[in-house]
């Protein structure tokens, strides 16, 4: 059974068209209308091996916030939809990813219960403007939005870092690698990986 999803979300602030395939090869076609976010979502698809297509536009003349948030919401919803009943997946995974001086760790539980903890970003990171459009505070907001709408538990910890671009990219890549392993089929798992029988 194909683990795919396509979602279109349109509000007065943005329009997002997103499709994904959890069993892909990391092929991406990303146009978020926010250049640095294109870079981050391309990395997310590439390193999770999720085929990902995003076409989005919004009121970026005001701020990138609405468009960035809505894409994260739709990505989370699509991830949840494509996972279905989560039968046969590994469920838990973690990944620690470096980018030069930056190091980030992500731990994921495809639990059906939304929770997000982000720690370790250096003081002032949230105020940094990365790529001219993307503030550091949006990284945590993206992670929270994905976790809430995918109904997953995500712990993301920045272990070290100096350059805001490197820190953000390490965070996205750590999430990508953790997702890759958490959502992949485990040949030893028969049924749903929970003592409750549901996730």
């Amino acid at each position: 059974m194909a683990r795919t999803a396509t979602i279109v979300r349109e509000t007065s602030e943005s329009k997002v068209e997103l499709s994904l395939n959890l069993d892909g090869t990391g092929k991406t076609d990303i146009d978020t209308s926010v250049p640095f976010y294109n870079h981050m979502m391309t990395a997310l698809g590439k390193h999770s091996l999720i085929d990902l297509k995003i076409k989005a536009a919004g009121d970026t003349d005001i701020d990138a916030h609405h468009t960035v948030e809505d894409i994260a919401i739709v990505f989370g919803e699509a991830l949840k939809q494509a996972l279905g009943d989560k039968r046969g997946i590994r469920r838990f995974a973690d990944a620690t990813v470096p980018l030069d001086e930056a190091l980030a760790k992500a731990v994921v539980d495809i639990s059906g219960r939304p929770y997000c903890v982000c720690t370790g970003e250096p003081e002032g990171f949230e105020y940094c403007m990365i790529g001219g459009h993307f503030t550091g505070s949006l990284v945590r907001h993206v992670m929270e939005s994905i976790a809430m709408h995918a109904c997953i538990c995500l712990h993301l910890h920045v272990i070290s870092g100096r350059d805001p671009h490197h820190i953000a990219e390490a965070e996205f890549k750590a999430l990508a690698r953790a997702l890759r392993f958490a959502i992949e089929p485990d040949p030893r798992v028969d049924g749903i990986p929970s003592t409750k029988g549901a996730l």
Side-chain angles (χ1 to χ4, degrees):
M1 184 172 163
R3 298 194 303 166
T4 61
T6 297
I7 295 178
V8 177
R9 171 187 167 96
E10 188 167 5
T11 72
S12 62
E13 297 171 342
S14 72
K15 180 176 181 180
V16 180
E17 302 173 35
L18 183 148
S19 60
L20 57 73
N21 176 6
L22 301 186
D23 301 306
T25 59
K27 180 181 178 182
T28 59
D29 180 6
I30 310 294
D31 180 7
T32 69
S33 72
V34 180
F36 184 72
Y37 201 30
N38 289 347
H39 182 37
M40 294 300 96
M41 295 307 289
T42 298
L44 180 57
K46 178 71 172 180
H47 295 289
S48 64
L49 297 184
I50 295 173
D51 289 348
L52 183 59
K53 184 173 183 178
I54 301 172
K55 176 71 175 175
D59 56 0
T60 54
D61 55 315
I62 296 173
D63 191 285
H65 183 102
H66 297 147
T67 303
V68 168
E69 176 184 48
D70 288 350
I71 290 166
I73 288 169
V74 173
F75 177 79
E77 291 174 347
L79 181 59
K80 180 181 179 183
Q81 182 178 313
L83 280 165
D85 65 6
K86 308 175 186 78
R87 187 176 303 273
I89 65 168
R90 295 191 185 278
R91 178 179 169 180
F92 302 100
D94 66 274
T96 305
V97 172
L99 180 56
D100 296 347
E101 88 296 343
L103 185 65
K105 180 172 185 175
V107 185
V108 169
D109 177 10
I110 310 299
S111 61
R113 295 183 308 277
Y115 208 90
C116 186
V117 178
C118 294
T119 58
E121 291 175 347
E123 186 176 353
F125 173 79
E126 66 270 29
Y127 304 118
C128 293
M129 185 65 73
I130 310 170
H133 299 84
F134 193 97
T135 55
S137 62
L138 285 173
V139 177
R140 180 176 298 189
H141 192 50
V142 166
M143 300 302 171
E144 290 170 341
S145 298
I146 290 172
M148 293 303 121
H149 290 270
C151 291
I152 63 175
C153 177
L154 167 62
H155 285 249
L156 185 64
H157 179 59
V158 176
I159 298 167
S160 63
R162 180 185 66 252
D163 184 282
H165 182 141
H166 291 173
I167 293 167
E169 189 166 342
E171 290 179 277
F172 273 87
K173 287 179 176 177
L175 171 62
R177 291 290 289 187
L179 275 178
R180 172 183 171 179
F181 297 119
I183 66 176
E184 74 179 3
D186 185 337
R188 297 180 62 197
V189 172
D190 182 20
I192 296 169
S194 169
T195 54
K196 297 190 293 292
L199 287 172

